[in-house]
Amino acid sequence: MHRVFDGHNDVLLRLWRNACKGNDPVAEFRCGINDGHLDLPRSRAGGLAGGLCAIFVPSGDLVLKTPDTNGHYDTPLSDTVSLGQALLEAREIAAIAFRLDQAEAWKICRSTADIRGAIEAKVFAAVLHMEGCEPIGSDLAELETFHAAGLRSLGLVWSRHNIFGHGVPFAYPKSPDTAPGLTEAGFSLVRECNRLGIAIDLAHIAEKGFWDVARTTSKPLIASHSNAHALTPVARNLTDRQLDAIRESQGVVGLNFATTMVRPDGQENAATPLSDMVRHIDYLVNRMGIDCVGLGSDFDGATIPEGICDAAGTQNLVSALRDAGYDDRELDKICKDNWLRVLADAWHEQE
Ligand code: ZN
């Protein structure tokens, strides 16, 4: 079994929503429930050893616009969220992450040594990620606090506007060049992440913002859960030019399992063959090389192909990749090692 360290999941969002309805998040993660994709029993069954766990403050439920007769859709951007509301909810979500750590249901990892140690000890290795920086004000004071608490990765924006920049809508077919670039606060946030040693995630950002980050950051470019626009032309996927820039920086793209982002027709439909995912991996590897491709499941954040179903099915993708010709050394890189390499760099471990 090739154990997987995964670039993106939304398990904290599910645990927080269910906690608001009275569930105990520690018990839900540790014992598992018949809901969503990721918990301890299912991660063990699927060899999912850990991953980047998002602190994400939703603005209502995202519902994809119904496709027209050509299968095209253009979902409006979600509403913006105020700093006050975002900070309050992010604190609640982060508290669940720390409760899980206290209860030894998982381990919050702050270094790649932590990740390797947790994987060795067969404890789920959780890295705290912030998906959309609405909980951070323009003076970046909250960034210091979240970093001290364990935040090691962030995406400046989710698919909406905020004070740092602009996200892309969920739309097919559509270019990711949908909005202006970073604001002044956005540039400051990039520089502060470099200084503190926080990875910067380019998933969800509009293309001009991508290029603004690329020319500002001193670190390899990361898109934690995005695919190839050439195969699935949704605004959330990366153009060949973007993939080339990620390759030149020796960064990483994590394959998003979301059916809307792997299917050629961009539809939300669980009846999606694993071959669609393998095609994206092949494309990314051909374009960027084997050292720049990882996984970014989006478990608990998207509709996943039925051949995987949930975290317990993670090895079904690994098997499909092996059948497609990837050898053990290449599978180790895709499943885990590329992520550890790029995070070590973002976290100043190699200086
Ligand atoms: Zn996302």
Side-chain angles (χ1 to χ4, degrees):
M1 182 187 281
H2 287 270
R3 300 184 73 207
V4 168
F5 182 85
D6 177 63
H8 188 84
N9 71 67
D10 286 304
V11 68
L12 284 171
L13 177 64
R14 192 196 81 221
L15 294 174
W16 174 68
R17 281 184 160 147
N18 287 344
C20 295
K21 295 181 211 153
N23 273 21
D24 173 0
V26 173
E28 178 172 333
F29 185 77
R30 186 180 270 146
C31 307
I33 59 166
N34 188 20
D35 180 27
H37 298 137
L38 207 173
D39 49 42
L40 202 49
R42 288 182 286 182
S43 66
R44 286 203 171 127
L48 184 69
L52 286 121
C53 301
I55 297 169
F56 168 68
V57 173
S59 35
D61 281 328
L62 176 82
V63 180
L64 281 190
K65 195 120 188 257
T66 307
D68 65 19
T69 50
N70 296 315
H72 298 180
Y73 56 89
D74 198 341
T75 313
L77 283 179
S78 294
D79 293 339
T80 57
V81 185
S82 70
L83 173 62
Q85 182 202 337
L87 189 53
L88 194 74
E89 296 185 359
R91 230 173 40 190
E92 292 176 7
I93 296 166
I96 290 174
F98 296 121
R99 280 181 61 196
L100 289 170
D101 186 75
Q102 280 283 320
E104 298 182 356
W106 72 13
K107 160 104 176 145
I108 303 275
C109 296
R110 295 170 169 83
S111 66
T112 58
D114 283 354
I115 297 172
R116 290 181 200 282
I119 292 175
E120 183 79 12
K122 298 205 161 45
V123 176
F124 189 90
V127 172
L128 285 186
H129 167 78
M130 184 175 281
E131 186 172 28
C133 285
E134 284 80 358
I136 296 172
S138 57
D139 65 357
L140 308 184
E142 293 84 4
L143 184 70
E144 299 280 351
T145 310
F146 278 110
H147 175 259
L151 187 74
R152 289 294 176 273
S153 171
L154 61 77
L156 278 73
V157 296
W158 185 67
S159 285
R160 60 192 172 204
H161 304 299
N162 69 21
I163 61 167
F164 302 110
H166 308 276
V168 290
F170 295 92
Y172 174 97
K174 198 175 186 80
S175 154
D177 188 10
T178 57
L182 300 187
T183 64
E184 277 311 310
F187 282 105
S188 300
L189 179 54
V190 171
R191 288 188 286 266
E192 279 301 283
C193 286
N194 284 165
R195 183 181 70 80
L196 288 165
I198 298 175
I200 299 165
D201 182 7
L202 292 157
H204 288 280
I205 200 165
E207 188 173 354
K208 287 188 178 71
F210 176 100
W211 296 115
D212 282 344
V213 173
R215 66 188 170 87
T216 307
T217 184
S218 58
K219 294 298 180 184
L221 305 180
I222 294 170
S224 70
H225 57 306
S226 297
N227 301 338
H229 195 271
L231 299 184
T232 305
V234 285
R236 270 283 283 110
N237 281 341
L238 298 158
T239 65
D240 286 347
R241 272 190 70 217
Q242 290 177 302
L243 296 177
D244 292 347
I246 294 170
R247 179 199 67 224
E248 279 157 29
S249 76
Q250 281 299 290
V252 163
V253 173
L255 177 82
N256 194 322
F257 299 2
T259 69
T260 52
M261 292 171 69
V262 296
R263 292 171 63 90
D265 62 8
Q267 302 298 304
E268 186 169 28
N269 180 355
T272 296
L274 296 190
S275 56
D276 281 352
M277 304 173 78
V278 174
R279 252 167 17 101
H280 274 273
I281 291 280
D282 286 345
Y283 190 91
L284 296 172
V285 169
N286 285 335
R287 192 92 200 173
M288 299 192 296
I290 193 72
D291 292 325
C292 296
V293 181
L295 303 179
S297 66
D298 220 351
F299 282 141
D300 286 319
T303 298
I304 304 285
E306 60 196 6
I308 292 182
C309 190
D310 57 28
T314 304
Q315 294 296 313
N316 297 347
L317 174 62
V318 180
S319 298
L321 291 172
R322 187 183 291 107
D323 293 345
Y326 292 91
D327 65 24
D328 283 338
R329 187 189 62 91
E330 292 168 326
L331 289 174
D332 278 340
K333 289 187 176 202
I334 291 171
C335 289
K336 174 167 80 353
D337 293 346
N338 290 338
W339 268 117
L340 292 184
R341 172 185 63 76
V342 82
L343 291 175
D345 195 337
W347 297 345
H348 304 305
E349 293 178 3
Q350 292 164 338
E351 288 160 12

